[in-house]
Amino acid sequence: MSELLEKAGKLKQASKKLAVLTKEEKNAALVYMADQIAREKEWILQENESDLLDGKEKGMSEALLDRLLLTSERIDQIVEGVRQVVALEDPIGEVLEAWERPNGLHIQTVRVPLGVIGMVYEARPNVTVDAASLCLKAGNAVLLRGSTSALHSNKALVKVMRAALADTAIPGDAVQLLEDTSRETASQMFRLNQYLDVLIPRGGAGLIQSVVQNATVPVLETGVGNCHIFIDQSAGEKMAIDIAVNAKLQRPSVCNAIETVLVHKDWPFVAELLDSLHSKGVELRGDQELAATFPFVKEAFEDDWSCEYLAPILAIKLVEDVREAIEHIDRYGTKHSEAIISENAENVRLFFRGVDAAVLYHNASTRFTDGEQFGYGAEIGISTQKLHARGPMGLKAITTSKAIVQGNGQIRG
Amino acid sequence: MSELLEKAGKLKQASKKLAVLTKEEKNAALVYMADQIAREKEWILQENESDLLDGKEKGMSEALLDRLLLTSERIDQIVEGVRQVVALEDPIGEVLEAWERPNGLHIQTVRVPLGVIGMVYEARPNVTVDAASLCLKAGNAVLLRGSTSALHSNKALVKVMRAALADTAIPGDAVQLLEDTSRETASQMFRLNQYLDVLIPRGGAGLIQSVVQNATVPVLETGVGNCHIFIDQSAGEKMAIDIAVNAKLQRPSVCNAIETVLVHKDWPFVAELLDSLHSKGVELRGDQELAATFPFVKEAFEDDWSCEYLAPILAIKLVEDVREAIEHIDRYGTKHSEAIISENAENVRLFFRGVDAAVLYHNASTRFTDGEQFGYGAEIGISTQKLHARGPMGLKAITTSKAIVQGNGQIRG
């Protein structure tokens, strides 16, 4: 039997045991798992060193090597992350709805685990532990499919987690690493409906599209954010500039950073906005009028409006009004996070009503689209699709429900 | 441009207008649509007659012809169905959650339409109107992909609906029939992520699997039900027999009918149960012991335990206890509807905890897994997957949410 099928079978068995554990049993297991990761720090760092050496030999970029790198502090953060998951409220067992039918049937819907989750992700080894601890906390078994470049690190982390769990109420088999990282085996994993209840891809657009295009297992799509800020005519100078700078620069490489600012043509502070962004090192790409007026603004091509730069580059366009802003976002946006800066209540209403996205902001930065910032405590990803969960996904997003119907002999007439 | 792309583009435009209509505007449009279907009854029946003639020429079975058949009464039922949808509560605009963050951000999640729904279904022409009215009520545009055999009927129904809507606040373009029913075009539709937010297949296992296997658009999977009743040692004679007979025979052709009864080996009324089922014309397929004891019970093959007969055939097996029943259901069930008949509270608890299915019953027939029976007023299907909606799906299952965040200049530190 292949590694994939063998591990998938074990996960399914383990998920049944896991689903009926109490929150105390799960929390005790996670605490012990965190302790054991801390205790095995040296060995994990050694294994990570092997990945880094391989990466350097293969000419991996500094940025990628940094994503792959574990340090003593980063392992401390990983351990701390598991402890934070322990502190979260257990979503399992919650009664979602309860009602009685005229025939006396009493119906309850109750929150239960999804079952087995397939995580597909790229080089950051911290995802291995973050995802595992969230899945376990919500009563799910997890198949981890990381990238080849992090294989030594992932094997070490999973070995430590499994060994720790083996001494707890959570079966060690509830966490499995797919060590065969071939493309063929990935494709097979994406179609393993018999064993996997959901796939969660986390990584770049290429990874996510590969999962969406090839999967028959339901996918919780995360990721791509071509986010906008619309600065309305009535926007205050300081607030608009502060928010635009924050949303672009506080962390340009993430999906909730903005890529385009749309500015009402009569807003009086365009020069101040552009100067401020330019002075902070942002490369600006504007429409014809802006490029003709400001020497440091390059002219934007059509492609710029759809580009997720993930870098200190920003497209800027003057628009007639909120309606043109909504149309632009509708055409080029990715339904992630969109903001309006305005003191005009009617325009805010039109924006909230007219823009189709996971999260809409009035007078705040798009950077708040995040599980922790939303108060979910931790996140398994940010959903950019409309089914099941939309926007930041906390523990509840990796649960489902079952209906429990109590009768006293009812039959259907 | 192909018919598919042209109609998909129009649906996307129409969905934006539809999403912001009030419940009064949507209800008035649906009432008018119902009236116009009633008024065009004669013409619709004529067009249906063309489908029936074609079907007879192609040697279609009586059962299939009956599913295709429209009559004056059936059109009255269709019209009445639309009026019932009008009477349902409008789910759109409901505030799902509202909370404030320590930084002063005020977050609300609000229920909004999904956007554009692709319905893929088989010969029953009533689905054309049922699905359209539910989608419109929840603010969604709908692409209807029915079967070739019902094309005349579907064209007539959609023409009447579109003409009616054109005189209302709902754009006529919000309902489109895909007249090209080729397999290639269906495959293209299933991968039209740019325009379609969800696919809902309704029909037999083949249709549903074809959608699941080929789709990149998220799917709300409906359908296959290999449902069981477990009769525990403590079950009362009359209640157990009444429920088993009801769940098998009240309508054998549907997904929430049972296919297997598991009986505790020490339940004293096995003979009475089998006699009762046999006398009502049920073909019984039992394990070795039952087949050896009762002359009218054939021996079951391994395949019988996984078969969705959808007919008056029933598999029967004696089991040791509730644990063996749970294991059997786990192995052969399809996570649809499962029932325990028992007076033993601990066994009921074990069954509810251990069986992974959309709906679990204690002392009631599995036939209640149905949107109307659950009190949802109408249903768009019964979900057999775990994401988004599980079990009977009413109007809420065809909505999503967006988060609305109100700030006063918050940026992320």
Side-chain angles (χ1 to χ4, degrees):
Chain A
M1 194 189 287
S2 73
E3 183 209 356
L4 173 63
L5 290 180
E6 189 190 330
K7 291 187 171 171
K10 287 182 177 170
L11 284 164
K12 193 156 188 188
Q13 285 310 313
S15 75
K16 291 180 209 304
K17 292 182 188 147
L18 186 48
V20 297
L21 297 184
T22 64
K23 70 177 178 194
E24 290 77 15
E25 287 170 320
K26 286 184 284 185
N27 285 342
L30 289 171
V31 166
Y32 186 68
M33 190 178 95
D35 292 345
Q36 295 305 106
I37 295 171
R39 182 193 281 252
E40 297 292 344
K41 190 193 274 189
E42 287 313 312
W43 180 63
I44 295 166
L45 289 176
Q46 274 170 35
E47 295 298 305
N48 181 245
E49 186 63 30
S50 302
D51 285 333
L52 291 167
L53 286 173
D54 287 358
K56 277 173 198 157
E57 227 166 68
K58 283 175 191 145
M60 204 180 256
S61 73
E62 279 305 313
L64 283 180
L65 286 170
D66 182 64
R67 293 173 68 178
L68 190 52
L69 176 72
L70 289 177
T71 61
S72 178
E73 293 69 35
R74 286 186 181 182
I75 293 186
D76 290 346
Q77 284 164 12
I78 287 173
V79 169
E80 182 50 33
V82 179
R83 294 195 177 121
Q84 282 167 10
V85 169
V86 171
L88 296 178
E89 202 178 328
D90 189 326
I92 300 306
E94 183 191 352
V95 175
L96 300 169
E97 291 187 275
W99 69 103
E100 197 159 306
R101 298 290 303 150
N103 61 3
L105 284 180
H106 181 76
I107 307 181
Q108 275 192 326
T109 54
V110 179
R111 197 184 286 286
V112 295
L114 278 168
V116 184
I117 295 177
M119 286 292 309
V120 188
Y121 56 104
E122 287 174 327
R124 292 181 199 277
N126 65 305
V127 175
T128 304
V129 181
D130 291 354
S133 56
L134 285 165
C135 289
L136 294 174
K137 173 85 182 196
N140 299 292
V142 60
L143 179 60
L144 298 157
R145 198 281 187 186
S147 55
T148 317
S149 60
L151 196 55
H152 289 99
S153 315
N154 289 341
K155 277 164 92 164
L157 289 165
V158 170
K159 192 169 181 184
V160 172
M161 289 194 285
R162 287 171 52 91
L165 295 174
D167 292 334
T168 73
I170 296 181
D173 276 343
V175 178
Q176 305 275 357
L177 178 72
L178 185 60
E179 298 182 14
D180 171 357
T181 54
S182 69
R183 203 171 270 262
E184 296 71 39
T185 303
S187 292
Q188 208 190 336
M189 172 183 170
F190 302 165
R191 306 179 77 86
L192 214 59
N193 298 53
Q194 203 190 335
Y195 293 105
L196 299 180
D197 293 292
V198 58
L199 295 174
I200 306 181
R202 272 181 67 169
L207 173 89
I208 291 162
Q209 274 314 304
S210 144
V211 175
V212 169
Q213 292 299 318
N214 293 299
T216 52
V217 175
V219 178
L220 283 177
E221 194 175 339
T222 67
V224 182
N226 181 23
C227 305
H228 302 73
I229 285 179
F230 167 55
I231 300 177
D232 199 8
Q233 185 175 5
S234 60
E237 178 186 358
K238 183 173 184 312
M239 187 191 286
I241 294 175
D242 285 352
I243 289 175
V245 167
N246 182 262
K248 179 71 256 181
L249 284 179
Q250 197 252 348
R251 199 167 166 204
S253 63
V254 294
C255 58
N256 57 21
I258 55 165
E259 311 298 355
T260 296
V261 170
L262 303 167
V263 184
H264 191 289
K265 65 177 183 0
D266 300 322
W267 189 56
F269 309 107
V270 180
E272 288 80 355
L273 170 72
L274 297 183
D275 280 341
S276 178
L277 287 161
H278 177 60
S279 74
K280 290 183 171 65
V282 177
E283 180 185 327
L284 297 167
R285 303 192 185 170
D287 61 24
Q288 275 193 323
E289 188 180 336
L290 291 170
T293 314
F294 298 92
F296 54 83
V297 175
K298 294 183 194 168
E299 189 170 335
F301 295 99
E302 172 67 17
D303 277 1
D304 283 297
W305 310 123
S306 3
C307 188
E308 193 187 13
Y309 300 118
L310 299 173
I313 307 171
L314 185 69
I316 305 221
K317 188 181 183 182
L318 298 179
V319 295
E320 282 296 315
D321 55 14
V322 65
R323 281 183 185 77
E324 193 187 337
I326 293 170
E327 277 166 29
H328 181 99
I329 292 169
D330 185 51
R331 185 155 171 199
Y332 299 106
T334 54
K335 301 185 167 58
H336 192 294
S337 299
E338 307 291 351
I340 178 172
I341 319 299
S342 176
E343 300 303 322
N344 179 318
E346 173 60 12
N347 287 351
V348 174
R349 200 184 67 83
L350 286 173
F351 190 87
F352 279 175
R353 216 175 77 148
V355 177
D356 178 20
V359 189
L360 301 175
Y361 292 90
H362 172 219
N363 291 350
S365 169
T366 55
R367 287 279 294 115
F368 291 106
T369 300
D370 172 280
E372 214 164 320
Q373 296 296 324
F374 262 51
Y376 297 165
E379 80 176 20
I380 193 96
I382 297 170
S383 165
T384 50
Q385 66 180 36
K386 294 182 179 180
L387 285 197
H388 189 69
R390 200 174 189 197
M393 296 190 287
L395 281 178
K396 287 181 183 175
I398 49 172
T399 67
T400 182
S401 65
K402 60 184 178 190
I404 300 287
V405 184
Q406 293 273 8
N408 47 19
Q410 282 84 348
I411 57 173
R412 192 157 162 191
Chain B
M1 194 188 290
S2 72
E3 182 208 357
L4 174 63
L5 290 180
E6 189 190 330
K7 290 185 172 172
K10 286 181 178 169
L11 284 164
K12 192 156 188 187
Q13 286 309 312
S15 75
K16 292 180 207 305
K17 292 182 189 146
L18 185 48
V20 298
L21 297 182
T22 63
K23 70 176 178 192
E24 289 78 13
E25 288 170 319
K26 286 182 286 186
N27 284 343
L30 289 172
V31 166
Y32 187 68
M33 190 178 96
D35 292 345
Q36 295 305 105
I37 295 170
R39 180 192 283 252
E40 297 293 343
K41 188 192 276 190
E42 287 313 313
W43 181 63
I44 294 166
L45 289 176
Q46 274 169 35
E47 294 299 305
N48 180 246
E49 186 63 30
S50 302
D51 285 331
L52 291 168
L53 286 173
D54 287 356
K56 278 174 198 154
E57 228 165 68
K58 285 177 190 143
M60 204 180 256
S61 73
E62 279 305 314
L64 283 179
L65 285 170
D66 182 65
R67 293 172 68 176
L68 190 53
L69 175 73
L70 290 177
T71 61
S72 179
E73 293 70 33
R74 287 186 180 183
I75 292 186
D76 291 345
Q77 285 164 11
I78 288 172
V79 169
E80 182 51 30
V82 178
R83 293 192 178 125
Q84 282 168 8
V85 168
V86 171
L88 296 178
E89 202 178 327
D90 189 328
I92 300 305
E94 182 192 352
V95 176
L96 300 170
E97 290 187 276
W99 69 102
E100 197 159 306
R101 297 292 302 150
N103 62 2
L105 284 180
H106 182 76
I107 308 181
Q108 274 192 325
T109 53
V110 180
R111 199 184 285 286
V112 296
L114 278 168
V116 184
I117 295 176
M119 286 292 309
V120 188
Y121 55 104
E122 288 175 327
R124 292 181 198 277
N126 65 307
V127 175
T128 304
V129 181
D130 292 354
S133 57
L134 284 165
C135 289
L136 295 173
K137 172 86 183 194
N140 299 293
V142 60
L143 179 59
L144 299 157
R145 198 279 187 188
S147 55
T148 316
S149 60
L151 196 56
H152 288 100
S153 315
N154 289 340
K155 276 164 92 164
L157 289 166
V158 170
K159 192 170 181 183
V160 172
M161 289 194 286
R162 286 171 53 91
L165 294 175
D167 291 335
T168 73
I170 296 181
D173 276 343
V175 178
Q176 306 274 357
L177 177 71
L178 185 60
E179 298 182 13
D180 171 358
T181 53
S182 70
R183 202 171 270 262
E184 296 70 39
T185 302
S187 291
Q188 208 190 337
M189 171 183 171
F190 301 164
R191 306 181 75 87
L192 216 58
N193 298 55
Q194 205 191 334
Y195 294 104
L196 299 180
D197 293 292
V198 60
L199 295 174
I200 306 179
R202 272 181 67 168
L207 172 89
I208 291 163
Q209 275 312 304
S210 145
V211 175
V212 169
Q213 292 299 319
N214 293 300
T216 54
V217 175
V219 178
L220 283 177
E221 195 176 338
T222 67
V224 182
N226 181 21
C227 305
H228 302 72
I229 285 179
F230 167 56
I231 300 177
D232 199 9
Q233 185 175 4
S234 60
E237 177 185 358
K238 182 172 185 310
M239 187 191 287
I241 293 175
D242 284 353
I243 289 176
V245 167
N246 182 262
K248 178 72 257 178
L249 284 180
Q250 197 252 348
R251 200 167 165 204
S253 64
V254 294
C255 58
N256 57 20
I258 54 165
E259 312 298 354
T260 297
V261 171
L262 303 167
V263 184
H264 192 289
K265 65 178 183 0
D266 299 324
W267 189 56
F269 311 106
V270 181
E272 288 80 355
L273 170 72
L274 298 183
D275 280 341
S276 178
L277 288 161
H278 176 60
S279 74
K280 293 184 169 64
V282 178
E283 179 185 328
L284 297 167
R285 303 192 185 171
D287 60 25
Q288 275 192 323
E289 187 180 335
L290 291 170
T293 315
F294 298 92
F296 52 83
V297 175
K298 295 183 194 169
E299 191 172 332
F301 295 101
E302 172 67 18
D303 277 2
D304 283 296
W305 309 122
S306 2
C307 188
E308 193 187 13
Y309 300 117
L310 300 172
I313 307 171
L314 184 69
I316 306 220
K317 189 182 183 182
L318 298 179
V319 294
E320 281 297 314
D321 55 16
V322 65
R323 282 184 184 79
E324 191 187 339
I326 294 171
E327 277 165 30
H328 182 98
I329 292 170
D330 185 51
R331 184 156 173 199
Y332 299 105
T334 54
K335 301 184 166 60
H336 192 297
S337 301
E338 307 293 350
I340 178 173
I341 317 301
S342 176
E343 300 303 321
N344 179 319
E346 174 60 12
N347 287 351
V348 174
R349 199 185 67 83
L350 286 172
F351 190 88
F352 279 176
R353 215 174 81 149
V355 176
D356 179 19
V359 189
L360 301 176
Y361 292 90
H362 172 220
N363 291 351
S365 170
T366 55
R367 287 280 294 117
F368 290 107
T369 301
D370 173 282
E372 214 164 319
Q373 295 297 325
F374 262 52
Y376 298 163
E379 80 176 20
I380 193 95
I382 297 171
S383 166
T384 49
Q385 65 179 37
K386 294 185 179 177
L387 285 197
H388 190 68
R390 201 174 188 196
M393 296 189 289
L395 281 177
K396 287 181 183 176
I398 49 172
T399 67
T400 182
S401 65
K402 60 184 177 190
I404 301 287
V405 184
Q406 293 274 8
N408 48 21
Q410 282 84 347
I411 58 174
R412 190 156 164 194

